[in-house]
Amino acid sequence: MKKLMITGLLCVALLTGCGNSETYEAADISDFDYVISDDSIILESYEDSNKYLEILSTYEIDGEKYKTNLDEFQVGGGPKTLVLSEGITSVNNSIFNGSDIQSVFFPSSMEYLYDDTLSYLHPDDGEKIHVYYAGTSEEWYLLMKDYETERQS
């Protein structure tokens, strides 16, 4: 029930824009710097100024479908809201470094998320960062992993 309520509330807030008349669509592949490797498209950075960024789990280029890889991706300073589509399984540990993200949505397909990834989120004075997850609270705790550097291990 929690999963449905959180997902439903996020969808309502994102679709209505919380009173904003702006429409929200997933980012087009042309909005990214990327590299194609085998069956994956490795996104590196976002090059548009939209405050809302939805990243799809696959992108089609010239009739070929590529699975989205976010292992090198940095959000950057433009977006305030990041939505990762169902099917995305992992993100760069420092995806939020230098970002202005205020709201982030993680799909239940995420396989792991390092504990220090969220430490890169920096709220404005008096503001809170909103983190949404499509899975259950038990799955969220299993998703979180301790980050160890090579020196620590």
Side-chain angles (χ1 to χ4, degrees):
M1 183 64 180
K2 288 180 189 177
K3 179 178 178 179
L4 180 61
M5 184 173 12
I6 289 173
T7 304
L9 288 174
L10 177 65
C11 290
V12 169
L14 292 175
L15 291 175
T16 62
C18 299
N20 188 345
S21 62
E22 188 176 348
T23 59
Y24 299 106
E25 296 178 1
D28 187 82
I29 194 60
S30 63
D31 296 334
F32 298 96
D33 280 337
Y34 63 88
V35 174
I36 294 176
S37 176
D38 298 322
D39 63 344
S40 295
I41 187 159
I42 303 167
L43 301 184
E44 296 174 339
S45 63
Y46 180 61
E47 299 301 323
D48 204 335
S49 60
N50 287 334
K51 299 298 179 199
Y52 172 88
L53 172 57
E54 179 180 353
I55 299 176
L56 300 176
S57 60
T58 61
Y59 284 94
E60 188 172 320
I61 300 174
D62 298 329
E64 296 270 342
K65 269 195 170 181
Y66 297 95
K67 183 178 178 185
T68 302
N69 178 321
L70 297 175
D71 291 345
E72 303 294 324
F73 185 70
Q74 299 274 295
V75 173
K80 301 285 186 191
T81 299
L82 174 65
V83 175
L84 301 174
S85 294
E86 200 62 48
I88 291 177
T89 58
S90 64
V91 296
N92 179 349
N93 187 50
S94 60
I95 187 172
F96 302 116
N97 190 15
S99 78
D100 295 325
I101 293 294
Q102 296 172 347
S103 297
V104 61
F105 176 81
F106 293 103
S108 61
S109 57
M110 291 289 292
E111 294 175 355
Y112 62 88
L113 184 66
Y114 287 114
D115 58 348
D116 67 339
T117 299
L118 298 178
S119 70
Y120 286 101
L121 294 168
H122 300 284
D124 293 333
D125 292 334
E127 294 290 320
K128 292 183 180 179
I129 300 293
H130 300 274
V131 177
Y132 302 93
Y133 176 65
T136 65
S137 56
E138 291 82 18
E139 291 169 330
W140 175 255
Y141 292 117
L142 293 173
L143 177 71
M144 300 301 289
K145 303 290 182 212
D146 288 330
Y147 178 77
E148 287 186 13
T149 63
E150 287 182 28
R151 181 184 283 176
Q152 290 171 318
S153 54

